[in-house]
Amino acid sequence: MDDILKLQNVCLTYQSDLFETEAVKDLSFSVKEKEFVSIIGPSGSGKTTILSLIAGLMPATRGEILYKGKEIKKVCENIGYMLQRDELFSWRTIEKNVFLPLEIKKINTEVNRSRAIELIDKYGLKDFSKSYPSQLSGGMRQRVALIRTLSSNPDLLLLDEPFSALDSQTRLKVVNDVYDIIKREGKTAVLVTHDISEAISLSDRIIVLTNRPAKVYKEHVLNFDKTLSPLKRREERGFSKTFNTLWRELNNE
Amino acid sequence: MNNLLSNERKRYLKKVKLDKILVNVTRILILLVFLGLWEVLARLNVIDSFLMSMPSKIVATIIELSKSGELGMHLTTTLYETVLGFLIATSLGTIIALLLWWSEFLRKVLEPYIVVLNSLPKIALGPIIIVWFGAGTKSIIFMAVLITIIVTVITMLNGFLATEQTKILLMRSLGASKLQMLYKLVLPSSIPTFISCLKINVGMAWIGSIMGEYLVSKQGIGYLIVYGGQVFRLDLVMASTIILCALAGLMYALVALLEKILIKKK
């Protein structure tokens, strides 16, 4: 059982008063333990929908989604979801924001809290643990959001364009930070993005989606040196070639 | 510490301070000029002090009222009605808003009723209220509650419903129950709405209690105003109005203080 996540012929149809929309059709792919997989697709191709399905926020119309061989029916404790914006609560301190998943999942124990505090300290936010979100920069806030996602110790992270709200300078740095944290903590990650270079700089494998209704159009396994940071990867020879291939696939389809 | 400040900073701080003083002085000056003109014009018989009264007479009336103990009685009556109406309406209204937030079905069902109740001039219900609750304090409190509660329900419900969708998504992705959603997200993020609702309610409760007193009362500040009008004692009307201003201002100041305490954490 190497696959931590497996989607088999997943379909999703949205219902509204006037019509129904097929957002996802016969989508199948799987993710291995500790793998970093990016999903890219044309805008409006249902990328976020796929993450919502995996997160257990809504049921698939047809097909199966398996986490470690078990079907996902509701929100699963071992899956962490990171959103586009940090969504920190302004009335809570950084520390209290990080504790939020522990409180919600009713695992707010001494051990878990000290583990969360360790994460805060380890990733350079020690001096800010008693500060409020408004006192932090955008990049730091996004780092807090990742630590919040990690505080309940999930195995699988779902990242929904978590860098898109940042300015380009901060973005490169935060991408590095996030990659570093995810690798050091030994997590599996599924990233959804429309940014091709971001996907290449982070992933072990990239899944290209078709237009709506989304299904897998192509898969690319990337063979960059695993010790390179996302920023360093951008200087590698294969980078621009992969970029061109993906760009053509996204636009000609 | 002072010698660490640059000259520009010092000049800026001085200007801020000066501006503040200027605003305060002008405020007081307007009041003094207004009162002075009123007094002088009345004394010179340019304006009729029987119709317009005058500051010195108003002060004399207030002193007279407080000496005879009447003022305390009227004051506590109205204050009691207003504060009780305010508290009942605010708490009950917030609870109703919570129920409506909780159940979308209930919200949809009750929407037209709330709209109608909101547009209805509550004073029109005066006779019904008097018949039901009698010509006394109960009716007045009920009037204050009635006027305040609908606004509370609408304001608070809108506040609850305005909780950011993406934050709700975050809570859902963590597997939050509806109750957790309420007390971890919806309630704390609605505190600013609650504060502004309190501020509106202070005014609303006063309208309710004074209107109630106009209709039925035998005592209270509203009663004094109506009585003064009927017997053509404008000194009494003006004196009561000024007392009312002071009370309403005081109650608003208390809410502002509460705001400081609640928002301090931010």
Side-chain angles (χ1 to χ4, degrees):
Chain A
M1 281 311 285
D2 213 1
D3 291 339
I4 191 169
L5 179 74
K6 197 175 173 86
L7 282 78
Q8 278 173 331
N9 304 319
V10 173
C11 300
L12 183 87
T13 315
Y14 281 117
Q15 298 293 341
S16 75
D17 291 348
L18 293 177
F19 44 79
E20 51 178 26
T21 320
E22 262 191 323
V24 179
K25 192 180 182 183
D26 277 330
L27 181 75
S28 303
F29 68 89
S30 52
V31 178
K32 288 191 182 61
E33 191 117 32
K34 301 198 177 170
E35 201 179 12
F36 200 121
V37 175
S38 290
I39 299 175
I40 59 172
S43 52
S45 61
K47 298 188 292 278
T48 299
T49 309
I50 295 168
L51 285 196
S52 304
L53 285 169
I54 301 171
L57 293 174
M58 53 185 172
T61 316
R62 256 170 296 132
E64 268 190 326
I65 303 173
L66 303 170
Y67 170 78
K68 290 188 176 167
K70 267 187 282 179
E71 186 161 8
I72 297 171
K73 289 201 176 102
K74 55 177 178 60
V75 174
C76 173
E77 283 200 6
N78 299 313
I79 299 179
Y81 196 169
M82 191 170 166
L83 301 162
Q84 277 183 31
R85 292 191 300 135
D86 53 71
E87 306 304 347
L88 297 177
F89 291 178
S90 62
W91 57 89
R92 283 175 170 244
T93 59
I94 295 308
E95 192 178 270
K96 285 272 157 53
N97 265 294
V98 170
F99 291 162
L100 183 73
L102 304 179
E103 293 172 24
I104 301 292
K105 292 176 197 229
K106 303 207 167 82
I107 48 170
N108 195 7
T109 59
E110 192 64 46
V111 181
N112 285 335
R113 271 201 305 274
S114 57
R115 215 189 67 88
I117 292 171
E118 242 171 64
L119 285 174
I120 294 175
D121 296 352
K122 192 154 97 189
Y123 297 114
L125 291 157
K126 189 175 186 152
D127 298 339
F128 295 94
S129 64
K130 303 281 185 225
S131 308
Y132 286 91
S134 56
Q135 295 163 287
L136 269 65
S137 68
M140 283 167 105
R141 290 172 63 124
Q142 204 58 14
R143 216 176 329 149
V144 176
L146 177 64
I147 293 171
R148 179 186 58 198
T149 315
L150 291 171
S151 70
S152 59
N153 207 8
D155 298 322
L156 174 62
L157 298 179
L158 306 174
L159 312 171
D160 186 0
E161 305 201 23
F163 315 111
S164 59
L166 302 170
D167 63 82
S168 56
Q169 198 64 31
T170 316
R171 195 168 170 155
L172 290 173
K173 191 170 164 0
V174 175
V175 166
N176 255 358
D177 288 350
V178 166
Y179 179 83
D180 180 50
I181 295 173
I182 289 174
K183 286 294 164 193
R184 274 166 75 177
E185 299 298 322
K187 305 295 181 191
T188 313
V190 177
L191 168 76
V192 147
T193 182
H194 59 257
D195 188 319
I196 300 172
S197 45
E198 203 166 274
I200 303 172
S201 62
L202 282 163
S203 320
D204 300 318
R205 188 151 56 91
I206 297 178
I207 294 171
V208 185
L209 296 179
T210 61
N211 270 316
R212 193 189 278 252
K215 57 171 180 273
V216 177
Y217 174 63
K218 248 187 190 143
E219 278 193 46
H220 298 267
V221 177
L222 305 180
N223 293 312
F224 290 102
D225 179 356
K226 298 268 190 271
T227 56
L228 288 178
S229 72
L231 203 55
K232 282 274 179 291
R233 262 199 209 186
R234 287 174 187 259
E235 295 160 11
E236 287 292 288
R237 274 200 307 149
F239 192 91
S240 58
K241 192 162 164 278
T242 315
F243 185 95
N244 287 331
T245 318
L246 289 171
W247 195 83
R248 248 179 279 122
E249 280 173 10
L250 276 182
N251 288 284
N252 291 348
E253 211 277 321
Chain B
M1 190 66 194
N2 230 356
N3 46 6
L4 288 173
L5 297 177
S6 69
N7 281 331
E8 286 78 17
R9 180 89 189 133
K10 273 187 206 155
R11 228 176 293 140
Y12 170 81
L13 288 176
K14 206 173 163 189
K15 189 177 174 301
V16 169
K17 207 171 160 190
L18 211 69
D19 277 354
K20 210 172 160 188
I21 293 173
L22 203 64
V23 167
N24 281 329
V25 167
T26 316
R27 271 182 191 158
I28 295 167
L29 223 58
I30 288 176
L31 190 67
L32 288 181
V33 168
F34 175 73
L35 292 176
L37 265 177
W38 188 359
E39 182 75 31
V40 169
L41 291 177
R43 277 180 195 267
L44 294 174
N45 280 327
V46 179
I47 56 173
D48 188 342
S49 67
F50 180 67
L51 292 179
M52 309 292 278
S53 186
M54 54 199 261
S56 57
K57 276 194 186 170
I58 295 170
V59 172
T61 312
I62 294 176
I63 291 170
E64 190 190 313
L65 277 174
S66 50
K67 267 188 186 157
S68 66
E70 266 182 276
L71 184 65
M73 189 257 295
H74 291 299
L75 220 124
T76 39
T77 305
T78 307
L79 215 53
Y80 169 73
E81 292 158 354
T82 312
V83 171
L84 204 61
F86 171 81
L87 292 177
I88 293 174
T90 306
S91 44
L92 211 60
T94 308
I95 291 170
I96 294 172
L98 274 176
L99 292 175
L100 292 176
W101 173 82
W102 191 277
S103 162
E104 198 188 343
F105 177 74
L106 203 63
R107 193 158 72 232
K108 280 182 182 160
V109 170
L110 293 183
E111 198 198 347
Y113 296 102
I114 293 174
V115 169
V116 169
L117 277 179
N118 184 38
S119 345
L120 180 78
K122 263 59 81 177
I123 188 92
L125 300 174
I128 305 176
I129 295 171
I130 294 168
V131 171
W132 286 355
F133 294 93
T137 317
K138 252 199 240 164
S139 283
I140 298 166
I141 294 171
F142 191 80
M143 182 62 96
V145 171
L146 198 64
I147 285 184
T148 315
I149 198 165
I150 308 286
V151 182
T152 310
V153 171
I154 292 174
T155 313
M156 287 316 296
L157 180 61
N158 284 337
F160 294 151
L161 292 177
T163 310
E164 275 178 84
Q165 284 303 317
T166 46
K167 291 214 163 44
I168 292 176
L169 184 68
L170 169 76
M171 291 294 276
R172 285 188 55 214
S173 78
L174 293 172
S177 67
K178 193 143 192 179
L179 200 63
Q180 287 178 322
M181 196 81 92
L182 181 68
Y183 67 84
K184 298 261 189 229
L185 172 61
V186 175
L187 287 182
S189 67
S190 300
I191 285 180
T193 315
F194 186 67
I195 299 284
S196 62
C197 184
L198 286 184
K199 286 180 177 166
I200 299 169
N201 285 1
V202 169
M204 285 292 172
W206 279 108
I207 295 175
S209 63
I210 298 299
M211 212 147 78
E213 286 185 4
Y214 279 12
L215 282 174
V216 293
S217 68
K218 295 181 195 72
Q219 58 191 49
I221 307 288
Y223 163 79
L224 273 187
I225 295 175
V226 175
Y227 171 77
Q230 282 166 350
V231 299
F232 258 79
R233 281 188 56 197
L234 270 299
D235 305 334
L236 193 57
V237 176
M238 296 290 188
S240 313
T241 312
I242 283 167
I243 292 167
L244 205 55
C245 283
L247 286 179
L250 191 73
M251 207 158 146
Y252 188 90
L254 283 178
V255 172
L257 192 72
L258 184 72
E259 176 177 20
K260 259 195 186 150
I261 294 168
L262 280 177
I263 306 282
K264 196 175 58 184
K265 282 196 288 182
K266 176 79 185 291

